[in-house]
Amino acid sequence: MEEAECLLEEMLSKGVMINVWALNSVMVWLCSKLRLDSAVQLFHKAMLRDVRLSDAVLTSLVGRLCRGGRHLDAMGIWSKMLDKGFSVNTMTANALINGLCKSGKMDEAVRVLKDMIRRGVTLDVITYNTLISGCCRDGKVEQGFRLRDDMVKKGLKPDIFTYNSLIQGLCGLGKIEEAVGLWNECKTAGFMPDIFMYGTIIDGFCKAKRIGEARRCFEELALQGLKPNEVVYNALIGGYSDDGNTDEAIRLRDEMKSKGVRRTIVTYSSIAHGLCSVGQVHEARIFLDEMREDGLDMNVVCYTILIDGYCKLGQMETAKNLFQEMRDRGIAPNTITYTVMINGYCKAGDLNLAVKLLEEMKEKNIVPDAVTFNALTAGFCKAGKMEEAFKIGEQMYWRGVAMDEVTYTTLVDGMSSSGSFKEANSVS
């Protein structure tokens, strides 16, 4: 096949008539071997000769380029086809839109949609569902609903995937009442919610602190003949843990084990977070040790939960030891890990160590956020060091981190406490 590839390239370069079937066969082989550079080059050489590849080959090439993160090349193929006046089919367009949406490139996806409409390419349910899903993941749920309305106007019926995406988008925005309304509409339309939709609505109820309704949905899915998976269990476990009911969360973890449902790091970290929230940090540490029985190991999230717990208890030496332990094990602290350590040192009055950690973040190219800076600002204000507090604000400006309401409130409170009423009024 490699010899055929070389022969085709030579024929294209010399302007010799080629067999389109042979060209398509070589392209299929190149895609299957993930030799995408060669495939793209061969495509452009074919375009120079006005030779059109088959729809199946184009769809495969565009899809593989998107999965490989090469969206620019995929868009280039799409644009070249349009520039040449060649027809494009729905499957190729859907493959491109899907790749763009999954990578969060919604503007490019909408551009492809507009190209399809201008060229008279048929939009099907997959086209709309892919765009709706992308919009909802991007937090643009209203745009997702507009697309749903548009597909209905074109005579296309929303399916279970359409409802799943929109419900997930609403839950992500905390609009649980609207999500429940759509959930009921889905049932009225004759669709039976699947396990994915149950997991979404249960998680939505839990995040809205409506654990009772989450539990009822959990019990309902069993009556519908569905088996809860780790996503559903983890959502409910997270809800109970956040609600302070770690006993029920642990019972659900044990139920997962008895029913053969895979426990994940999320399972354990959710319960550990719940235990730490009520001051049971030692118990959380023992509990996380049990992960090893499930073949799991501590990650940055687990370490950060424990470090935060010890910081809140004022046990900075233990927190520091854990911070070092995770680095010794090759687990890199992230922005949140540094932030909880900085906050812990600030509350303990050890501002020098807090500042040192901020400088370390800079050295390691770990970007501090507003929460990080606000912790330091609060620490300096509490110590009455207003000049240093304002210098932190200057750092936020130069690093491109916007001051939020917490920043301003902290500075105003700090100046008021230090007797600087005139300056406090000027900031507020």
Side-chain angles (χ1 to χ4, degrees), residues 372-409:
T372 316
F373 286 114
N374 286 342
L376 273 164
T377 303
F380 282 118
C381 287
K382 182 181 177 182
K385 298 181 177 182
M386 295 310 302
E387 185 177 346
E388 288 85 346
F390 274 97
K391 284 181 179 178
I392 295 296
E394 290 175 7
Q395 281 198 53
M396 293 178 73
Y397 174 79
W398 290 114
R399 295 196 188 191
V401 180
M403 289 186 177
D404 57 18
E405 186 178 345
V406 175
T407 317
Y408 288 110
T409 302

PDB file of all heavy atoms in Angstrom, residues 372-409:
ATOM      1  N   THR A 372      -6.999  32.697  45.750  1.00  0.00           N
ATOM      2  CA  THR A 372      -5.639  32.690  46.289  1.00  0.00           C
ATOM      3  C   THR A 372      -5.255  34.070  46.805  1.00  0.00           C
ATOM      4  O   THR A 372      -4.799  34.227  47.949  1.00  0.00           O
ATOM      5  CB  THR A 372      -4.623  32.266  45.206  1.00  0.00           C
ATOM      6  OG1 THR A 372      -5.118  31.150  44.465  1.00  0.00           O
ATOM      7  CG2 THR A 372      -3.283  31.916  45.818  1.00  0.00           C
ATOM      8  N   PHE A 373      -5.421  35.072  45.958  1.00  0.00           N
ATOM      9  CA  PHE A 373      -5.059  36.439  46.335  1.00  0.00           C
ATOM     10  C   PHE A 373      -5.925  36.966  47.477  1.00  0.00           C
ATOM     11  O   PHE A 373      -5.451  37.684  48.360  1.00  0.00           O
ATOM     12  CB  PHE A 373      -5.169  37.366  45.120  1.00  0.00           C
ATOM     13  CG  PHE A 373      -4.056  37.182  44.121  1.00  0.00           C
ATOM     14  CD1 PHE A 373      -4.310  36.687  42.853  1.00  0.00           C
ATOM     15  CD2 PHE A 373      -2.738  37.505  44.452  1.00  0.00           C
ATOM     16  CE1 PHE A 373      -3.292  36.522  41.931  1.00  0.00           C
ATOM     17  CE2 PHE A 373      -1.711  37.340  43.541  1.00  0.00           C
ATOM     18  CZ  PHE A 373      -1.984  36.852  42.277  1.00  0.00           C
ATOM     19  N   ASN A 374      -7.212  36.600  47.462  1.00  0.00           N
ATOM     20  CA  ASN A 374      -8.108  37.068  48.527  1.00  0.00           C
ATOM     21  C   ASN A 374      -7.707  36.515  49.891  1.00  0.00           C
ATOM     22  O   ASN A 374      -7.852  37.187  50.912  1.00  0.00           O
ATOM     23  CB  ASN A 374      -9.547  36.683  48.211  1.00  0.00           C
ATOM     24  CG  ASN A 374     -10.155  37.528  47.107  1.00  0.00           C
ATOM     25  OD1 ASN A 374      -9.639  38.599  46.798  1.00  0.00           O
ATOM     26  ND2 ASN A 374     -11.222  37.052  46.511  1.00  0.00           N
ATOM     27  N   ALA A 375      -7.187  35.272  49.894  1.00  0.00           N
ATOM     28  CA  ALA A 375      -6.724  34.679  51.155  1.00  0.00           C
ATOM     29  C   ALA A 375      -5.561  35.488  51.726  1.00  0.00           C
ATOM     30  O   ALA A 375      -5.516  35.780  52.931  1.00  0.00           O
ATOM     31  CB  ALA A 375      -6.307  33.231  50.929  1.00  0.00           C
ATOM     32  N   LEU A 376      -4.632  35.869  50.851  1.00  0.00           N
ATOM     33  CA  LEU A 376      -3.492  36.679  51.284  1.00  0.00           C
ATOM     34  C   LEU A 376      -3.928  38.083  51.709  1.00  0.00           C
ATOM     35  O   LEU A 376      -3.455  38.615  52.713  1.00  0.00           O
ATOM     36  CB  LEU A 376      -2.470  36.778  50.154  1.00  0.00           C
ATOM     37  CG  LEU A 376      -1.443  35.645  50.083  1.00  0.00           C
ATOM     38  CD1 LEU A 376      -0.754  35.647  48.732  1.00  0.00           C
ATOM     39  CD2 LEU A 376      -0.427  35.758  51.196  1.00  0.00           C
ATOM     40  N   THR A 377      -4.826  38.663  50.944  1.00  0.00           N
ATOM     41  CA  THR A 377      -5.334  39.993  51.285  1.00  0.00           C
ATOM     42  C   THR A 377      -5.976  39.983  52.665  1.00  0.00           C
ATOM     43  O   THR A 377      -5.728  40.865  53.495  1.00  0.00           O
ATOM     44  CB  THR A 377      -6.367  40.460  50.232  1.00  0.00           C
ATOM     45  OG1 THR A 377      -5.763  40.444  48.941  1.00  0.00           O
ATOM     46  CG2 THR A 377      -6.862  41.870  50.543  1.00  0.00           C
ATOM     47  N   ALA A 378      -6.791  38.951  52.926  1.00  0.00           N
ATOM     48  CA  ALA A 378      -7.451  38.834  54.234  1.00  0.00           C
ATOM     49  C   ALA A 378      -6.429  38.658  55.351  1.00  0.00           C
ATOM     50  O   ALA A 378      -6.589  39.208  56.452  1.00  0.00           O
ATOM     51  CB  ALA A 378      -8.430  37.666  54.213  1.00  0.00           C
ATOM     52  N   GLY A 379      -5.368  37.883  55.050  1.00  0.00           N
ATOM     53  CA  GLY A 379      -4.331  37.668  56.049  1.00  0.00           C
ATOM     54  C   GLY A 379      -3.624  38.953  56.445  1.00  0.00           C
ATOM     55  O   GLY A 379      -3.423  39.233  57.634  1.00  0.00           O
ATOM     56  N   PHE A 380      -3.263  39.762  55.449  1.00  0.00           N
ATOM     57  CA  PHE A 380      -2.593  41.034  55.733  1.00  0.00           C
ATOM     58  C   PHE A 380      -3.534  42.025  56.422  1.00  0.00           C
ATOM     59  O   PHE A 380      -3.125  42.763  57.311  1.00  0.00           O
ATOM     60  CB  PHE A 380      -2.033  41.637  54.442  1.00  0.00           C
ATOM     61  CG  PHE A 380      -0.750  41.001  53.991  1.00  0.00           C
ATOM     62  CD1 PHE A 380      -0.660  40.332  52.778  1.00  0.00           C
ATOM     63  CD2 PHE A 380       0.378  41.067  54.796  1.00  0.00           C
ATOM     64  CE1 PHE A 380       0.531  39.746  52.369  1.00  0.00           C
ATOM     65  CE2 PHE A 380       1.579  40.488  54.401  1.00  0.00           C
ATOM     66  CZ  PHE A 380       1.664  39.823  53.192  1.00  0.00           C
ATOM     67  N   CYS A 381      -4.797  42.047  55.995  1.00  0.00           N
ATOM     68  CA  CYS A 381      -5.772  42.946  56.633  1.00  0.00           C
ATOM     69  C   CYS A 381      -5.971  42.573  58.101  1.00  0.00           C
ATOM     70  O   CYS A 381      -6.039  43.448  58.972  1.00  0.00           O
ATOM     71  CB  CYS A 381      -7.107  42.892  55.898  1.00  0.00           C
ATOM     72  SG  CYS A 381      -7.099  43.723  54.292  1.00  0.00           S
ATOM     73  N   LYS A 382      -6.059  41.270  58.358  1.00  0.00           N
ATOM     74  CA  LYS A 382      -6.242  40.803  59.732  1.00  0.00           C
ATOM     75  C   LYS A 382      -5.060  41.221  60.609  1.00  0.00           C
ATOM     76  O   LYS A 382      -5.223  41.544  61.800  1.00  0.00           O
ATOM     77  CB  LYS A 382      -6.401  39.283  59.745  1.00  0.00           C
ATOM     78  CG  LYS A 382      -6.660  38.686  61.125  1.00  0.00           C
ATOM     79  CD  LYS A 382      -6.774  37.175  61.047  1.00  0.00           C
ATOM     80  CE  LYS A 382      -6.953  36.559  62.434  1.00  0.00           C
ATOM     81  NZ  LYS A 382      -7.017  35.071  62.371  1.00  0.00           N
ATOM     82  N   ALA A 383      -3.863  41.232  59.991  1.00  0.00           N
ATOM     83  CA  ALA A 383      -2.655  41.618  60.732  1.00  0.00           C
ATOM     84  C   ALA A 383      -2.461  43.126  60.765  1.00  0.00           C
ATOM     85  O   ALA A 383      -1.491  43.614  61.360  1.00  0.00           O
ATOM     86  CB  ALA A 383      -1.437  40.949  60.099  1.00  0.00           C
ATOM     87  N   GLY A 384      -3.386  43.859  60.154  1.00  0.00           N
ATOM     88  CA  GLY A 384      -3.287  45.321  60.137  1.00  0.00           C
ATOM     89  C   GLY A 384      -2.246  45.852  59.184  1.00  0.00           C
ATOM     90  O   GLY A 384      -1.869  47.035  59.250  1.00  0.00           O
ATOM     91  N   LYS A 385      -1.768  45.012  58.283  1.00  0.00           N
ATOM     92  CA  LYS A 385      -0.737  45.422  57.327  1.00  0.00           C
ATOM     93  C   LYS A 385      -1.404  45.819  56.005  1.00  0.00           C
ATOM     94  O   LYS A 385      -1.363  45.098  55.009  1.00  0.00           O
ATOM     95  CB  LYS A 385       0.268  44.291  57.111  1.00  0.00           C
ATOM     96  CG  LYS A 385       1.016  43.903  58.388  1.00  0.00           C
ATOM     97  CD  LYS A 385       2.027  42.801  58.120  1.00  0.00           C
ATOM     98  CE  LYS A 385       2.827  42.463  59.377  1.00  0.00           C
ATOM     99  NZ  LYS A 385       3.844  41.423  59.144  1.00  0.00           N
ATOM    100  N   MET A 386      -2.016  46.993  56.007  1.00  0.00           N
ATOM    101  CA  MET A 386      -2.814  47.419  54.866  1.00  0.00           C
ATOM    102  C   MET A 386      -1.969  47.715  53.626  1.00  0.00           C
ATOM    103  O   MET A 386      -2.420  47.504  52.489  1.00  0.00           O
ATOM    104  CB  MET A 386      -3.648  48.647  55.237  1.00  0.00           C
ATOM    105  CG  MET A 386      -4.695  48.360  56.306  1.00  0.00           C
ATOM    106  SD  MET A 386      -5.717  46.904  55.922  1.00  0.00           S
ATOM    107  CE  MET A 386      -6.412  47.348  54.342  1.00  0.00           C
ATOM    108  N   GLU A 387      -0.752  48.209  53.828  1.00  0.00           N
ATOM    109  CA  GLU A 387       0.101  48.485  52.675  1.00  0.00           C
ATOM    110  C   GLU A 387       0.384  47.204  51.903  1.00  0.00           C
ATOM    111  O   GLU A 387       0.318  47.177  50.663  1.00  0.00           O
ATOM    112  CB  GLU A 387       1.408  49.123  53.146  1.00  0.00           C
ATOM    113  CG  GLU A 387       2.303  49.558  51.990  1.00  0.00           C
ATOM    114  CD  GLU A 387       3.577  50.253  52.461  1.00  0.00           C
ATOM    115  OE1 GLU A 387       3.657  50.628  53.649  1.00  0.00           O
ATOM    116  OE2 GLU A 387       4.494  50.408  51.631  1.00  0.00           O
ATOM    117  N   GLU A 388       0.708  46.137  52.653  1.00  0.00           N
ATOM    118  CA  GLU A 388       0.968  44.846  52.004  1.00  0.00           C
ATOM    119  C   GLU A 388      -0.304  44.301  51.353  1.00  0.00           C
ATOM    120  O   GLU A 388      -0.260  43.667  50.286  1.00  0.00           O
ATOM    121  CB  GLU A 388       1.506  43.834  53.014  1.00  0.00           C
ATOM    122  CG  GLU A 388       2.933  44.091  53.465  1.00  0.00           C
ATOM    123  CD  GLU A 388       2.991  45.083  54.624  1.00  0.00           C
ATOM    124  OE1 GLU A 388       1.975  45.757  54.887  1.00  0.00           O
ATOM    125  OE2 GLU A 388       4.066  45.188  55.253  1.00  0.00           O
ATOM    126  N   ALA A 389      -1.452  44.530  51.991  1.00  0.00           N
ATOM    127  CA  ALA A 389      -2.725  44.068  51.434  1.00  0.00           C
ATOM    128  C   ALA A 389      -2.977  44.715  50.076  1.00  0.00           C
ATOM    129  O   ALA A 389      -3.404  44.051  49.116  1.00  0.00           O
ATOM    130  CB  ALA A 389      -3.868  44.383  52.396  1.00  0.00           C
ATOM    131  N   PHE A 390      -2.700  46.019  49.973  1.00  0.00           N
ATOM    132  CA  PHE A 390      -2.911  46.702  48.695  1.00  0.00           C
ATOM    133  C   PHE A 390      -1.894  46.272  47.647  1.00  0.00           C
ATOM    134  O   PHE A 390      -2.183  46.277  46.441  1.00  0.00           O
ATOM    135  CB  PHE A 390      -2.862  48.225  48.898  1.00  0.00           C
ATOM    136  CG  PHE A 390      -4.186  48.805  49.291  1.00  0.00           C
ATOM    137  CD1 PHE A 390      -4.488  49.044  50.627  1.00  0.00           C
ATOM    138  CD2 PHE A 390      -5.155  49.068  48.334  1.00  0.00           C
ATOM    139  CE1 PHE A 390      -5.723  49.565  50.991  1.00  0.00           C
ATOM    140  CE2 PHE A 390      -6.396  49.584  48.683  1.00  0.00           C
ATOM    141  CZ  PHE A 390      -6.683  49.840  50.019  1.00  0.00           C
ATOM    142  N   LYS A 391      -0.713  45.878  48.086  1.00  0.00           N
ATOM    143  CA  LYS A 391       0.285  45.369  47.140  1.00  0.00           C
ATOM    144  C   LYS A 391      -0.195  44.053  46.506  1.00  0.00           C
ATOM    145  O   LYS A 391       0.107  43.761  45.342  1.00  0.00           O
ATOM    146  CB  LYS A 391       1.622  45.168  47.845  1.00  0.00           C
ATOM    147  CG  LYS A 391       2.367  46.473  48.114  1.00  0.00           C
ATOM    148  CD  LYS A 391       3.710  46.214  48.800  1.00  0.00           C
ATOM    149  CE  LYS A 391       4.459  47.529  49.030  1.00  0.00           C
ATOM    150  NZ  LYS A 391       5.744  47.310  49.733  1.00  0.00           N
ATOM    151  N   ILE A 392      -0.918  43.251  47.310  1.00  0.00           N
ATOM    152  CA  ILE A 392      -1.505  42.018  46.757  1.00  0.00           C
ATOM    153  C   ILE A 392      -2.510  42.386  45.667  1.00  0.00           C
ATOM    154  O   ILE A 392      -2.574  41.746  44.611  1.00  0.00           O
ATOM    155  CB  ILE A 392      -2.184  41.189  47.864  1.00  0.00           C
ATOM    156  CG1 ILE A 392      -1.153  40.688  48.878  1.00  0.00           C
ATOM    157  CG2 ILE A 392      -2.958  40.010  47.254  1.00  0.00           C
ATOM    158  CD1 ILE A 392      -0.131  39.731  48.303  1.00  0.00           C
ATOM    159  N   GLY A 393      -3.283  43.456  45.923  1.00  0.00           N
ATOM    160  CA  GLY A 393      -4.222  43.926  44.903  1.00  0.00           C
ATOM    161  C   GLY A 393      -3.524  44.345  43.627  1.00  0.00           C
ATOM    162  O   GLY A 393      -4.002  44.092  42.517  1.00  0.00           O
ATOM    163  N   GLU A 394      -2.356  44.965  43.772  1.00  0.00           N
ATOM    164  CA  GLU A 394      -1.568  45.364  42.606  1.00  0.00           C
ATOM    165  C   GLU A 394      -1.088  44.132  41.829  1.00  0.00           C
ATOM    166  O   GLU A 394      -1.082  44.120  40.595  1.00  0.00           O
ATOM    167  CB  GLU A 394      -0.376  46.210  43.049  1.00  0.00           C
ATOM    168  CG  GLU A 394      -0.749  47.595  43.560  1.00  0.00           C
ATOM    169  CD  GLU A 394       0.467  48.350  44.093  1.00  0.00           C
ATOM    170  OE1 GLU A 394       1.596  47.836  43.942  1.00  0.00           O
ATOM    171  OE2 GLU A 394       0.282  49.444  44.668  1.00  0.00           O
ATOM    172  N   GLN A 395      -0.694  43.107  42.589  1.00  0.00           N
ATOM    173  CA  GLN A 395      -0.268  41.864  41.926  1.00  0.00           C
ATOM    174  C   GLN A 395      -1.409  41.266  41.111  1.00  0.00           C
ATOM    175  O   GLN A 395      -1.193  40.748  40.010  1.00  0.00           O
ATOM    176  CB  GLN A 395       0.212  40.844  42.969  1.00  0.00           C
ATOM    177  CG  GLN A 395       1.606  41.075  43.496  1.00  0.00           C
ATOM    178  CD  GLN A 395       2.162  39.824  44.151  1.00  0.00           C
ATOM    179  OE1 GLN A 395       2.182  38.742  43.568  1.00  0.00           O
ATOM    180  NE2 GLN A 395       2.620  39.973  45.391  1.00  0.00           N
ATOM    181  N   MET A 396      -2.611  41.312  41.676  1.00  0.00           N
ATOM    182  CA  MET A 396      -3.770  40.800  40.951  1.00  0.00           C
ATOM    183  C   MET A 396      -3.920  41.532  39.620  1.00  0.00           C
ATOM    184  O   MET A 396      -4.154  40.910  38.569  1.00  0.00           O
ATOM    185  CB  MET A 396      -5.046  40.977  41.788  1.00  0.00           C
ATOM    186  CG  MET A 396      -5.105  40.127  43.038  1.00  0.00           C
ATOM    187  SD  MET A 396      -6.596  40.403  44.028  1.00  0.00           S
ATOM    188  CE  MET A 396      -7.833  39.596  43.008  1.00  0.00           C
ATOM    189  N   TYR A 397      -3.769  42.858  39.666  1.00  0.00           N
ATOM    190  CA  TYR A 397      -3.912  43.662  38.454  1.00  0.00           C
ATOM    191  C   TYR A 397      -2.871  43.266  37.401  1.00  0.00           C
ATOM    192  O   TYR A 397      -3.196  43.032  36.228  1.00  0.00           O
ATOM    193  CB  TYR A 397      -3.785  45.146  38.794  1.00  0.00           C
ATOM    194  CG  TYR A 397      -3.780  46.043  37.586  1.00  0.00           C
ATOM    195  CD1 TYR A 397      -4.967  46.371  36.938  1.00  0.00           C
ATOM    196  CD2 TYR A 397      -2.569  46.550  37.076  1.00  0.00           C
ATOM    197  CE1 TYR A 397      -4.956  47.186  35.809  1.00  0.00           C
ATOM    198  CE2 TYR A 397      -2.555  47.363  35.951  1.00  0.00           C
ATOM    199  CZ  TYR A 397      -3.756  47.678  35.322  1.00  0.00           C
ATOM    200  OH  TYR A 397      -3.741  48.474  34.202  1.00  0.00           O
ATOM    201  N   TRP A 398      -1.610  43.189  37.823  1.00  0.00           N
ATOM    202  CA  TRP A 398      -0.531  42.899  36.873  1.00  0.00           C
ATOM    203  C   TRP A 398      -0.581  41.474  36.359  1.00  0.00           C
ATOM    204  O   TRP A 398      -0.088  41.200  35.260  1.00  0.00           O
ATOM    205  CB  TRP A 398       0.824  43.189  37.511  1.00  0.00           C
ATOM    206  CG  TRP A 398       1.062  44.658  37.716  1.00  0.00           C
ATOM    207  CD1 TRP A 398       1.174  45.327  38.901  1.00  0.00           C
ATOM    208  CD2 TRP A 398       1.192  45.644  36.695  1.00  0.00           C
ATOM    209  NE1 TRP A 398       1.359  46.669  38.693  1.00  0.00           N
ATOM    210  CE2 TRP A 398       1.376  46.901  37.334  1.00  0.00           C
ATOM    211  CE3 TRP A 398       1.176  45.610  35.294  1.00  0.00           C
ATOM    212  CZ2 TRP A 398       1.532  48.072  36.620  1.00  0.00           C
ATOM    213  CZ3 TRP A 398       1.339  46.790  34.586  1.00  0.00           C
ATOM    214  CH2 TRP A 398       1.519  48.012  35.257  1.00  0.00           C
ATOM    215  N   ARG A 399      -1.183  40.576  37.128  1.00  0.00           N
ATOM    216  CA  ARG A 399      -1.289  39.182  36.673  1.00  0.00           C
ATOM    217  C   ARG A 399      -2.601  38.917  35.937  1.00  0.00           C
ATOM    218  O   ARG A 399      -2.897  37.787  35.572  1.00  0.00           O
ATOM    219  CB  ARG A 399      -1.156  38.220  37.854  1.00  0.00           C
ATOM    220  CG  ARG A 399       0.214  38.256  38.524  1.00  0.00           C
ATOM    221  CD  ARG A 399       0.431  37.050  39.396  1.00  0.00           C
ATOM    222  NE  ARG A 399       1.646  37.155  40.199  1.00  0.00           N
ATOM    223  CZ  ARG A 399       2.170  36.151  40.877  1.00  0.00           C
ATOM    224  NH1 ARG A 399       1.583  34.971  40.859  1.00  0.00           N
ATOM    225  NH2 ARG A 399       3.270  36.308  41.578  1.00  0.00           N
ATOM    226  N   GLY A 400      -3.393  39.949  35.745  1.00  0.00           N
ATOM    227  CA  GLY A 400      -4.628  39.798  34.977  1.00  0.00           C
ATOM    228  C   GLY A 400      -5.751  39.113  35.722  1.00  0.00           C
ATOM    229  O   GLY A 400      -6.661  38.551  35.098  1.00  0.00           O
ATOM    230  N   VAL A 401      -5.702  39.141  37.061  1.00  0.00           N
ATOM    231  CA  VAL A 401      -6.761  38.533  37.874  1.00  0.00           C
ATOM    232  C   VAL A 401      -7.673  39.652  38.379  1.00  0.00           C
ATOM    233  O   VAL A 401      -7.226  40.567  39.074  1.00  0.00           O
ATOM    234  CB  VAL A 401      -6.185  37.755  39.075  1.00  0.00           C
ATOM    235  CG1 VAL A 401      -7.305  37.144  39.908  1.00  0.00           C
ATOM    236  CG2 VAL A 401      -5.213  36.680  38.590  1.00  0.00           C
ATOM    237  N   ALA A 402      -8.936  39.607  38.017  1.00  0.00           N
ATOM    238  CA  ALA A 402      -9.869  40.676  38.378  1.00  0.00           C
ATOM    239  C   ALA A 402     -10.218  40.627  39.861  1.00  0.00           C
ATOM    240  O   ALA A 402     -10.439  39.553  40.425  1.00  0.00           O
ATOM    241  CB  ALA A 402     -11.145  40.560  37.547  1.00  0.00           C
ATOM    242  N   MET A 403     -10.220  41.807  40.474  1.00  0.00           N
ATOM    243  CA  MET A 403     -10.698  41.897  41.854  1.00  0.00           C
ATOM    244  C   MET A 403     -12.203  41.640  41.872  1.00  0.00           C
ATOM    245  O   MET A 403     -12.931  42.134  41.015  1.00  0.00           O
ATOM    246  CB  MET A 403     -10.421  43.290  42.423  1.00  0.00           C
ATOM    247  CG  MET A 403      -8.955  43.591  42.700  1.00  0.00           C
ATOM    248  SD  MET A 403      -8.781  45.188  43.537  1.00  0.00           S
ATOM    249  CE  MET A 403      -7.010  45.234  43.797  1.00  0.00           C
ATOM    250  N   ASP A 404     -12.656  40.855  42.848  1.00  0.00           N
ATOM    251  CA  ASP A 404     -14.087  40.596  42.958  1.00  0.00           C
ATOM    252  C   ASP A 404     -14.658  41.268  44.206  1.00  0.00           C
ATOM    253  O   ASP A 404     -13.971  42.028  44.894  1.00  0.00           O
ATOM    254  CB  ASP A 404     -14.370  39.088  42.959  1.00  0.00           C
ATOM    255  CG  ASP A 404     -13.634  38.363  44.082  1.00  0.00           C
ATOM    256  OD1 ASP A 404     -13.194  39.033  45.048  1.00  0.00           O
ATOM    257  OD2 ASP A 404     -13.508  37.131  43.997  1.00  0.00           O
ATOM    258  N   GLU A 405     -15.899  40.975  44.498  1.00  0.00           N
ATOM    259  CA  GLU A 405     -16.567  41.589  45.641  1.00  0.00           C
ATOM    260  C   GLU A 405     -15.854  41.263  46.952  1.00  0.00           C
ATOM    261  O   GLU A 405     -15.760  42.107  47.857  1.00  0.00           O
ATOM    262  CB  GLU A 405     -18.022  41.119  45.702  1.00  0.00           C
ATOM    263  CG  GLU A 405     -18.847  41.810  46.782  1.00  0.00           C
ATOM    264  CD  GLU A 405     -20.292  41.356  46.771  1.00  0.00           C
ATOM    265  OE1 GLU A 405     -20.724  40.736  45.770  1.00  0.00           O
ATOM    266  OE2 GLU A 405     -20.997  41.611  47.764  1.00  0.00           O
ATOM    267  N   VAL A 406     -15.334  40.038  47.048  1.00  0.00           N
ATOM    268  CA  VAL A 406     -14.626  39.624  48.265  1.00  0.00           C
ATOM    269  C   VAL A 406     -13.385  40.487  48.480  1.00  0.00           C
ATOM    270  O   VAL A 406     -13.081  40.908  49.601  1.00  0.00           O
ATOM    271  CB  VAL A 406     -14.246  38.130  48.190  1.00  0.00           C
ATOM    272  CG1 VAL A 406     -13.400  37.723  49.397  1.00  0.00           C
ATOM    273  CG2 VAL A 406     -15.489  37.263  48.109  1.00  0.00           C
ATOM    274  N   THR A 407     -12.652  40.751  47.381  1.00  0.00           N
ATOM    275  CA  THR A 407     -11.438  41.578  47.475  1.00  0.00           C
ATOM    276  C   THR A 407     -11.760  42.953  48.049  1.00  0.00           C
ATOM    277  O   THR A 407     -11.131  43.407  49.014  1.00  0.00           O
ATOM    278  CB  THR A 407     -10.790  41.763  46.089  1.00  0.00           C
ATOM    279  OG1 THR A 407     -10.776  40.533  45.379  1.00  0.00           O
ATOM    280  CG2 THR A 407      -9.370  42.285  46.218  1.00  0.00           C
ATOM    281  N   TYR A 408     -12.736  43.617  47.445  1.00  0.00           N
ATOM    282  CA  TYR A 408     -13.084  44.967  47.882  1.00  0.00           C
ATOM    283  C   TYR A 408     -13.622  44.985  49.311  1.00  0.00           C
ATOM    284  O   TYR A 408     -13.256  45.854  50.116  1.00  0.00           O
ATOM    285  CB  TYR A 408     -14.115  45.578  46.919  1.00  0.00           C
ATOM    286  CG  TYR A 408     -13.525  45.937  45.571  1.00  0.00           C
ATOM    287  CD1 TYR A 408     -13.862  45.225  44.427  1.00  0.00           C
ATOM    288  CD2 TYR A 408     -12.618  46.986  45.446  1.00  0.00           C
ATOM    289  CE1 TYR A 408     -13.319  45.547  43.192  1.00  0.00           C
ATOM    290  CE2 TYR A 408     -12.070  47.321  44.213  1.00  0.00           C
ATOM    291  CZ  TYR A 408     -12.425  46.598  43.092  1.00  0.00           C
ATOM    292  OH  TYR A 408     -11.878  46.924  41.878  1.00  0.00           O
ATOM    293  N   THR A 409     -14.493  44.027  49.628  1.00  0.00           N
ATOM    294  CA  THR A 409     -15.058  43.968  50.980  1.00  0.00           C
ATOM    295  C   THR A 409     -13.965  43.752  52.013  1.00  0.00           C
ATOM    296  O   THR A 409     -13.960  44.379  53.085  1.00  0.00           O
ATOM    297  CB  THR A 409     -16.097  42.834  51.078  1.00  0.00           C
ATOM    298  OG1 THR A 409     -17.119  43.053  50.105  1.00  0.00           O
ATOM    299  CG2 THR A 409     -16.728  42.786  52.459  1.00  0.00           C
TER     300      THR A 409
END
